[in-house]
Amino acid sequence: MTFQDTTYNEHPAHKVIIIHPGSLYVQIGRASDVNPHTELHAIARKRLIGGQSHHDLLLPPTVKRSTEVAQEMDEVRLQISHTLQSCLQSDGRRRYATPPQQIAAFNRQAKPAPVTTPCSTSDQFIKPEKNIVVGNEVLYLDPALDFNVHFPIKRGDLNVHNGVGGSLTAVLADLQAIWSFILEYKFGISHKDFKSYRAILIIPDIYNRLYLRELMTLLLNNMGFGACFLIQDHVAATFGAGLGCACVVDVGHQKTSVSCVEDGISHPATRVRLGYGGGDITHAFHWLLQKCAFPYKACDPNQSPRDALLLQQLKHDCCHINLDVCGSSEKSFVVQHPNSTSVQYTIQMADECLIAPLSLFQPELLGVTGPKTLTTQKRSTGDPQDPHDADYLRETSRRGLKEAMEANSEGGLGVDGGAGAVAGEEDIVVDNILEGVQGGGGSAPLDSEFTVNSNQLLGLDQAILQSIDRCVTDDLKRKMYASILVVGGGLKFHGINTWLHNKLSLQVPYMLRSEQMDIVTNAKDMDPQITAWKGASVLCCLESVHELWIKPSEWDKYSVKLLREKACFMW
């Protein structure tokens, strides 16, 4: 038996822990599990006496809107409403809508009715014995207690900020506390046994290299796993869906990301991240409900996590993009507040249930949560721990090109000159990859990991078109248009695939149209929220994966140089 086979057999699937962190939930499980354990990705820490207060919210915070933004939102709402009324049902009849005034009149008369249900733990606040509360229990924490609430992931990246608990060290400590708690209390794995397990961390498609270095140190040195490696979420999603080539659209809670993946590689130039997600849609839905006299006037998702969860549930239960559903419908929901009587409301809703999810295509409607950013991947800006990084390669390639050009101009194109010309061409290719594909802008120095544009507001369809358009060849573009994979928990609306198909079909350039555009929203009939996690569990069972593992001793010796050499993505 070879060394490679021994390594593979000594670490079966039940000894591999897969971690997929998100802004709202974290998914953790053994690679042998059918489904991961999903836990609220939050931690509450006892506030120091006289210390500053900090509360991260369940939903993205709303902002005060200017008159111009409010007017634009109303105009877009009416525009979408008129578009829906001009659509046809599947039987060819024109859609009809119930007048908003009629729905508002009904909702104004809705009165809360007391509900007598058996008392449960969710009806009571908890008073923790320790100074730390982790996961789902954060929702039931008594607000009268002096606890600060932290969500370590925000808008697809580490939630580093200037407030209390916002330093990189503090965020990493929160991640370690949450993940260790879940492994210990949900899986029965004590901290001293972590060394006998290996970990796979699913990272965003657009990543911060400094953060990845710190996360590797967290897993290998602080938590003490026996080995680990990183995989991008879009690449993992293609493994989970069983697709070799796809344009992956990941709509999460606070961000939407798009990239083109081919044979396990996410092309850097195609990566686009939009600063909105399912949580922003929830706020837009609440705004639309308020337009038609939402009877639960005290609903405040910025203050009450219970209200935020209620709106989330209403969105999941009611929102859709089914054009055959016309007119108004009644919906009952229960408002539960700990230590008080639960009440039930019955309201009417109509096209608000379609307009809210369509805000992904008209992001002006998401102005309730403030300006949105567009992010693309930049090339590496250098790392002091990696002397032969992209900067080194770029500078040496330029030097080689310059020397080759000087030699050619002085000595002509003899045998040596010809060889120099070939070398120069290779250097040009390397330089173009680093400058262009990685998202750089010429030879100007870059001062951050990302290109962030807060002025360009893209809808989901426009982001997909822009991502595919950045593919290198027309043949690759056709492949991407033929296979679009939708994952994440923010776009689970009935009928979304048909609407997206129609939007894209009208905009795909004629020369790039394929015979069939396949939009996959439920790959292998699984929840799209766990597609990436399942993909990582599939990947870790491949025999060739032994080349990706990084051990603590190797990390201590070589650090980020190992990621440049062994990571399954372009470092």
Side-chain angles (χ1 to χ4, degrees):
M1 181 179 290
T2 65
F3 172 75
Q4 295 178 355
D5 292 334
T6 302
T7 304
Y8 174 71
N9 291 331
E10 284 182 353
H11 294 89
H14 70 274
K15 283 291 188 178
V16 177
I17 301 296
I18 301 172
I19 305 173
H20 188 186
S23 55
L24 183 60
Y25 296 109
V26 58
Q27 299 169 352
I28 296 183
R30 298 180 178 90
S32 57
D33 294 340
V34 176
N35 294 314
H37 173 79
T38 301
E39 190 85 12
L40 190 73
H41 205 191
I43 185 171
R45 295 183 180 274
K46 183 77 171 178
R47 191 179 308 140
L48 298 175
I49 298 176
Q52 294 181 343
S53 174
H54 181 85
H55 280 270
D56 285 328
L57 303 176
L58 200 71
L59 296 177
T62 57
V63 298
K64 187 176 181 180
R65 298 180 295 281
S66 65
T67 305
E68 292 78 10
V69 171
Q71 183 177 355
E72 183 181 30
M73 291 175 63
D74 271 324
E75 290 174 354
V76 172
R77 175 180 64 88
L78 291 174
Q79 178 186 338
I80 297 176
S81 181
H82 293 153
T83 300
L84 290 172
Q85 292 181 38
S86 66
C87 292
L88 300 178
Q89 302 179 56
S90 57
D91 58 6
R93 294 184 300 170
R94 187 179 293 273
R95 291 189 79 253
Y96 61 90
T98 304
Q101 299 84 353
Q102 180 179 327
I103 296 175
F106 179 92
N107 290 339
R108 287 192 187 97
Q109 297 176 0
K111 303 298 180 184
V115 178
T116 55
T117 56
C119 183
S120 65
T121 55
S122 63
D123 296 328
Q124 304 294 325
F125 283 131
I126 63 169
K127 294 184 178 181
E129 298 177 358
K130 299 182 179 180
N131 293 332
I132 295 178
V133 178
V134 175
N136 298 337
E137 289 188 351
V138 172
L139 295 174
Y140 310 113
L141 191 63
D142 191 339
L145 300 177
D146 294 331
F147 276 79
N148 288 338
V149 177
H150 304 275
F151 282 80
I153 305 290
K154 180 181 180 181
R155 298 293 188 194
D157 218 332
L158 296 188
N159 186 15
V160 176
H161 55 85
N162 294 327
V164 60
S167 67
L168 178 58
T169 303
V171 172
L172 292 170
D174 289 343
L175 290 174
Q176 180 177 350
I178 296 171
W179 300 350
S180 298
F181 171 87
I182 295 173
L183 290 173
E184 183 172 357
Y185 291 97
K186 306 297 181 181
F187 291 89
I189 304 174
S190 64
H191 190 276
K192 62 182 177 60
D193 294 329
F194 286 176
K195 61 180 179 294
S196 63
Y197 287 82
R198 297 190 166 201
I200 299 177
L201 180 65
I202 302 176
I203 63 171
D205 62 315
I206 293 180
Y207 49 83
N208 185 313
R209 294 170 180 82
L210 169 62
Y211 292 171
L212 295 194
R213 186 183 75 192
E214 297 300 329
L215 288 170
M216 286 290 292
T217 301
L218 171 66
L219 291 169
L220 292 174
N221 295 348
N222 299 358
M223 296 185 71
F225 282 105
C228 78
F229 72 80
L230 310 176
I231 182 172
Q232 290 171 293
D233 50 5
H234 289 193
V235 174
T238 59
F239 276 97
L243 299 174
C245 180
C247 175
V248 181
V249 182
D250 183 359
V251 183
H253 181 63
Q254 293 188 5
K255 58 91 180 174
T256 297
S257 56
V258 184
S259 77
C260 296
V261 179
E262 182 187 27
D263 297 331
I265 297 296
S266 170
H267 292 275
T270 67
R271 299 172 193 164
V272 179
R273 180 194 295 168
L274 307 171
Y276 55 79
D280 301 270
I281 298 175
T282 302
H283 273 305
F285 186 48
H286 183 212
W287 175 74
L288 291 166
L289 292 177
Q290 290 174 319
K291 287 283 183 182
C292 54
F294 189 51
Y296 178 29
K297 307 278 186 196
C299 182
D300 188 354
N302 288 333
Q303 294 295 328
S304 170
R306 300 298 188 93
D307 287 346
L309 280 180
L310 170 65
L311 292 172
Q312 283 272 91
Q313 193 60 48
L314 272 177
K315 180 190 71 173
H316 292 150
D317 293 344
C318 302
C319 287
H320 61 89
I321 310 180
N322 184 357
L323 297 179
D324 288 341
V325 177
C326 306
S328 62
S329 60
E330 292 187 5
K331 171 69 178 178
S332 296
F333 62 92
V334 176
V335 177
Q336 290 181 327
H337 284 295
N339 306 329
S340 64
T341 304
S342 300
V343 295
Q344 177 176 291
Y345 290 92
T346 300
I347 64 171
Q348 278 190 358
M349 291 179 284
D351 279 357
E352 293 79 17
C353 300
L354 287 88
I355 296 174
L358 290 179
S359 61
L360 281 172
F361 304 95
Q362 296 280 354
E364 294 85 0
L365 265 184
L366 303 176
V368 66
T369 51
K372 304 296 179 289
T373 58
L374 183 148
T375 309
T376 55
Q377 186 85 49
K378 276 190 175 181
R379 62 172 171 81
S380 172
T381 54
D383 192 309
Q385 296 189 20
D386 187 6
H388 296 94
D389 58 12
D391 282 344
Y392 172 83
L393 295 175
R394 183 167 47 256
E395 293 304 321
T396 53
S397 68
R398 285 175 179 157
R399 189 178 305 116
L401 174 60
K402 182 178 179 181
E403 292 172 356
M405 293 178 65
E406 290 175 351
N408 290 339
S409 62
E410 293 175 1
L413 290 178
V415 175
D416 295 336
V422 172
E425 289 174 4
E426 292 179 352
D427 289 334
I428 293 173
V429 172
V430 172
D431 205 38
N432 284 340
I433 290 176
L434 292 171
E435 299 278 356
V437 177
Q438 290 287 354
S443 59
L446 303 175
D447 56 0
S448 71
E449 292 284 344
F450 310 130
T451 301
V452 179
N453 187 342
S454 58
N455 298 321
Q456 187 178 11
L457 193 61
L458 287 183
L460 182 60
D461 54 328
Q462 293 297 317
I464 295 172
L465 291 165
Q466 188 176 114
S467 176
I468 296 178
D469 186 58
R470 294 177 181 175
C471 291
V472 179
T473 65
D474 287 348
D475 184 54
L476 183 58
K477 293 177 184 178
R478 291 188 192 95
K479 289 182 181 179
M480 295 302 164
Y481 280 123
S483 180
I484 297 176
L485 174 63
V486 180
V487 296
L491 201 60
K492 296 195 291 186
F493 303 111
H494 176 66
I496 186 64
N497 52 344
T498 303
W499 188 275
L500 182 58
H501 183 280
N502 293 338
K503 290 281 288 186
L504 292 175
S505 297
L506 296 173
Q507 303 175 77
V508 175
Y510 178 78
M511 297 299 295
L512 299 177
R513 293 181 181 178
S514 57
E515 295 182 0
Q516 181 179 0
M517 180 185 293
D518 191 12
I519 297 180
V520 182
T521 54
N522 291 91
K524 298 184 177 180
D525 295 325
M526 77 175 75
D527 184 346
Q529 200 164 351
I530 67 170
T531 304
W533 188 93
K534 292 290 288 186
S537 69
V538 171
L539 177 65
C540 83
C541 295
L542 301 178
E543 192 166 354
S544 58
V545 82
H546 69 273
E547 299 176 359
L548 303 177
W549 293 113
I550 297 175
K551 298 179 180 179
S553 57
E554 297 173 317
W555 182 253
D556 292 339
K557 186 174 182 180
Y558 300 108
S559 187
V560 291
K561 293 188 287 291
L562 275 177
L563 289 177
R564 178 166 51 82
E565 298 294 334
K566 301 183 70 171
C568 54
F569 50 88
M570 297 181 188
W571 180 253

